Amino acid sequence: MREPALVADCVAAMAAAVRIPVTVKCRIGVDEQEPRQALFALVERIAAAGAAGVIAHARKAWLEGLSPKDNRTVPPLDYPLVYELKAAHPDLPIAINGGIVSLAAARAHLDRVDGVMIGRAAYQNPELLLNVDPWIFDAPAPFADAFEALEAYEPYVARELEKGARLADMTRCLLGLFAGRPGARVYRQRLSMLATRPGAGLATLSEAVAAVRCAPRAAAE
């Protein structure tokens, strides 16, 4: 944000070297910068340099005074500024990010921008993503539920285990998979503890999932 000319040079160099689209993810400003001025200056530079799109996290980043964790929640969101950016660049794909925790909110943003990035909400509850196709694209969900999605994931896990990968490296993103379901807490505890052990494999994953499959349906998480 402080050196848009340098970022533009980097974008131009990458765009000249690869065939895939080069995109930029940014905040709306840093520290004492005026957000509209900083954001628009950066995007104008990188668009001219060949950027194929922008993902704008609608918060400032305070490099002085806030931790990385606090920077994800403390600076106020300014969605209208990102909408204004899109209006100023109608031909440049622009996605919005920051504080979007539901598909209903995502759908509302899509009336004003080209895309939505959901980060922590999807990590904390990956099952949320199963509703993207029916909610956003009016298409069938790829899987009926988290159990079915996990079954489709298992062959990949098995192949990677044979190559020497650790189970924990492939299940870290699954800890929130059954969020809100009975047995989810036990599932998380088992998976986080057992997946790191030497020799942990698909049986370990099945043992953790059993905590959810076997939980009384009337129980509250």
Side-chain angles (χ1 to χ4, degrees):
M1 302 299 297
R2 288 175 170 164
E3 298 182 271
L6 176 60
V7 178
D9 288 344
C10 293
V11 168
M14 289 186 283
V18 299
R19 296 182 180 179
I20 59 175
V22 177
T23 61
V24 175
K25 185 172 188 286
C26 64
R27 292 291 184 114
I28 60 173
V30 297
D31 295 333
E32 300 299 337
Q33 285 183 328
E34 196 284 312
R36 189 185 187 283
Q37 181 180 355
L39 179 63
F40 277 56
L42 175 69
V43 172
E44 286 169 8
R45 289 271 194 158
I46 63 176
V54 174
I55 303 95
H57 186 142
R59 302 181 197 271
K60 259 191 176 186
W62 287 92
L63 305 181
E64 301 292 338
L66 285 181
S67 68
K69 179 180 179 181
D70 287 341
N71 260 303
R72 292 194 291 267
T73 57
V74 173
L77 289 158
D78 191 350
Y79 296 140
L81 181 59
V82 182
Y83 300 158
E84 188 180 346
L85 179 71
K86 176 56 191 176
H89 295 273
D91 297 326
L92 180 67
I94 293 176
I96 198 166
N97 173 238
I100 303 166
V101 298
S102 71
L103 295 182
R107 191 161 55 180
H109 284 300
L110 288 172
D111 291 334
R112 308 292 297 274
V113 293
D114 302 298
V116 174
M117 176 180 285
I118 296 179
R120 280 173 293 134
Y123 185 82
Q124 293 164 356
N125 180 18
E127 198 167 11
L128 170 76
L129 299 178
L130 290 179
N131 291 316
V132 168
D133 286 308
W135 271 67
I136 306 297
F137 300 108
D138 195 26
F143 303 104
D145 55 23
F147 293 108
E148 189 173 302
L150 192 57
E151 289 173 1
Y153 184 54
E154 287 179 355
Y156 167 79
V157 175
R159 291 194 301 270
E160 293 304 305
L161 288 171
E162 290 180 358
K163 297 176 184 177
R166 297 191 319 148
L167 180 65
D169 294 334
M170 294 177 284
T171 58
R172 187 178 296 111
C173 58
L174 302 178
L175 294 178
L177 187 59
F178 297 103
R181 291 177 180 264
R185 183 177 294 109
V186 176
Y187 159 82
R188 290 193 300 271
Q189 291 171 344
R190 289 182 180 176
L191 194 58
S192 60
M193 290 189 299
L194 300 178
T196 59
R197 295 181 178 178
L202 286 177
T204 302
L205 180 57
S206 297
E207 181 181 343
V209 174
V212 184
R213 288 190 184 278
C214 300
R217 290 294 173 260
E221 171 60 17

